[in-house]
Amino acid sequence: MAAAAAAVVTNGSSGGDSSKSAFAEIYSKLKEEMLEDPAFEFTDESLQWIDRMLDYNVLGGKCNRGISVIDSYKMLKGTDVLSKEETFLACTLGWCIEWLQAYFLVLDDIMDNSQTRRGQPCWFRVPQVGLIAVNDGIILRNHISRILQRHFKGKPYYVDLIDLFNEVEFKTASGQLLDLITTHEGEKDLMKYNLTVHRRIVQYKTAYYSFYLPVACALLLSGENLDNFGDVKNILVEMGTYFQVQDDYLDCYGDPEFIGKIGTDIEDYKCSWLVVQALERADENQKHILFENYGKPDPECVAKVKDLYKELNLEAVFHEYERESYNKLIADIEAQPNKAVQNVLKSFLHKIYKRQK
């Protein structure tokens, strides 16, 4: 299985090659520990189920979040080479984030009634899985606690790690709730959509676990107190917001061949940055076009929405937003007193600035 993990991580990530290969090697060890956990008497059938479930859901992504823990830790320590123990602990925390991501996605796909994830059927769509996937999600979340207990209990920052994962999970689940009740429940109502709602959903649903969590893990590994890094948290959450706005933009304007998926935010009635911007700028006639056509699968309706976006010049609005966001983020980063922290933040920003997918 190490080979499969290595193939997935090496093909997908933007981290350095040494970080990627080190990261891939740790997965099979952690999985083996979960399959040999003495707290439960596994049957052969349950072992096979969990083995397959982990490979299907934890592997398959780009692992950017997980590898960011290692890369950030190296920068904070000011070295390109970590000891074997340091590498193992950083990789383990990185995989805990990948486990968390898998847990969110398994349940998210059920709530959204999605068909595919990462180019294959959603886990709950796999024959014989169905709603057993709900319990699998719970198992994935519990694995994180088991991994942290096994490898970090006794470390001075163990309680801080537990608190960090609990808090980020709570923020993400609350963001998901806001997204669901705003976009899915009851009558479709575009009047609910505005920049404040969009920003709150994005910050809580995506930014904390995707941007703040990997750096916070690296800071704890480095012996730092997270209470001293409030500004860093705010910068990373801003970066995560910018990242999601890019995603919303690429859903409409990105090349499907290049980004690997066909955007469906318009059809799916998503509270996208583009529709929020359109609502802010549209006159009454243009709003009428939006209300009549947004959230409908008919290609003609989608085309009318895209024509309206063009009329409102939303591509230019996005590029101006991108430029302003980048300049503000750079200024905030350079105001940080710690040069190593600056390097970590800049590395995150440069990975995503003007990305095309």
Side-chain angles (χ1 to χ4, degrees):
M1 192 59 249
V8 167
V9 173
T10 307
N11 290 337
S13 169
S14 58
D17 284 344
S18 62
S19 298
K20 285 188 226 175
S21 54
F23 191 65
E25 282 174 25
I26 305 299
Y27 170 75
S28 37
K29 175 174 171 54
L30 296 175
K31 183 176 80 166
E32 197 176 308
E33 289 173 354
M34 293 304 96
L35 295 173
E36 293 173 355
D37 194 320
F40 181 68
E41 292 178 34
F42 292 99
T43 61
D44 287 345
E45 191 180 11
S46 61
L47 283 173
Q48 286 167 10
W49 183 281
I50 292 169
D51 189 341
R52 178 182 174 220
M53 183 269 288
L54 289 175
D55 288 351
Y56 198 95
N57 295 295
V58 178
L59 299 180
K62 294 185 287 291
C63 293
N64 286 339
R65 294 170 185 83
I67 291 169
S68 293
V69 178
I70 312 160
D71 291 340
S72 299
Y73 186 37
K74 284 178 180 175
M75 280 183 253
L76 291 172
K77 284 184 70 71
T79 179
D80 283 334
V81 183
L82 299 174
S83 72
K84 196 171 178 183
E85 169 75 356
E86 288 169 337
T87 300
F88 178 78
L89 292 177
C91 288
T92 298
L93 285 182
W95 278 114
C96 283
I97 298 174
E98 295 299 325
W99 247 266
L100 187 72
Q101 161 87 334
Y103 153 62
F104 288 146
L105 297 185
V106 165
L107 298 183
D108 199 43
D109 286 342
I110 298 169
M111 288 179 260
D112 288 346
N113 202 28
S114 299
Q115 295 294 328
T116 60
R117 165 76 63 186
R118 295 168 172 170
Q120 59 185 2
C122 298
W123 177 239
F124 81 101
R125 298 256 178 219
V126 172
Q128 275 82 56
V129 176
L131 291 181
I132 297 173
V134 175
N135 195 64
D136 290 334
I138 295 167
I139 287 174
L140 285 163
R141 176 59 184 98
N142 277 272
H143 278 176
I144 298 166
S145 303
R146 308 298 292 169
I147 292 168
L148 292 176
Q149 182 185 50
R150 179 184 284 256
H151 296 291
F152 294 93
K153 195 171 185 182
K155 304 278 185 203
Y157 51 84
Y158 174 59
V159 172
D160 295 320
L161 269 180
I162 299 289
D163 286 348
L164 174 65
F165 273 87
N166 285 343
E167 182 172 329
V168 168
E169 181 191 3
F170 174 66
K171 286 180 188 294
T172 308
S174 301
Q176 170 74 346
L177 173 68
L178 188 60
D179 189 22
L180 290 167
I181 62 177
T182 304
T183 63
H184 295 191
E185 285 301 308
E187 289 301 304
K188 289 183 173 180
D189 182 9
L190 275 182
M191 296 305 290
K192 284 184 186 174
Y193 291 5
N194 58 56
L195 270 176
T196 306
V197 169
H198 176 269
R199 183 179 178 79
R200 192 173 291 142
I201 290 171
V202 166
Q203 281 187 354
Y204 287 99
K205 189 178 170 182
T206 304
Y208 279 98
Y209 93 92
S210 296
F211 284 80
Y212 174 60
L213 182 56
V215 176
C217 284
L219 285 166
L220 288 175
L221 278 173
S222 304
E224 299 286 0
N225 182 338
L226 294 182
D227 292 341
N228 299 332
F229 292 89
D231 287 348
V232 171
K233 180 195 277 192
N234 294 337
I235 290 168
L236 286 160
V237 170
E238 281 303 315
M239 225 181 279
T241 305
Y242 162 58
F243 178 85
Q244 186 58 51
V245 172
Q246 285 178 312
D247 241 29
D248 291 354
Y249 171 81
L250 290 170
D251 185 272
C252 183
Y253 293 105
D255 178 356
E257 288 290 312
F258 193 63
I259 62 175
K261 63 179 181 180
I262 296 167
T264 58
D265 282 1
I266 294 171
E267 295 94 317
D268 294 343
Y269 204 74
K270 287 285 171 70
C271 183
S272 158
W273 184 83
L274 291 169
V275 77
V276 166
Q277 291 294 334
L279 286 164
E280 287 217 333
R281 289 168 166 73
D283 61 28
E284 286 310 309
N285 286 336
Q286 291 168 325
K287 278 184 182 169
H288 180 72
I289 292 169
L290 268 181
F291 281 95
E292 287 297 308
N293 295 284
Y294 199 75
K296 293 180 178 168
D298 182 346
E300 278 190 30
C301 295
V302 174
K304 284 178 185 173
V305 173
K306 288 188 175 182
D307 286 344
L308 180 58
Y309 287 175
K310 193 170 186 178
E311 209 177 296
L312 294 168
N313 209 10
L314 291 192
E315 278 197 79
V317 174
F318 168 75
H319 291 306
E320 177 63 13
Y321 163 83
E322 183 165 56
R323 189 183 62 77
E324 286 178 5
S325 295
Y326 180 80
N327 290 340
K328 184 179 186 315
L329 284 164
I330 284 290
D332 289 347
I333 290 167
E334 290 182 345
Q336 290 302 303
N338 184 319
K339 198 74 182 169
V341 168
Q342 280 193 31
N343 291 338
V344 169
L345 295 171
K346 282 182 178 175
S347 81
F348 265 75
L349 183 56
H350 291 144
K351 278 177 194 171
I352 63 170
Y353 181 53
K354 291 203 166 173
R355 69 190 175 96
Q356 299 298 309
K357 65 176 181 179

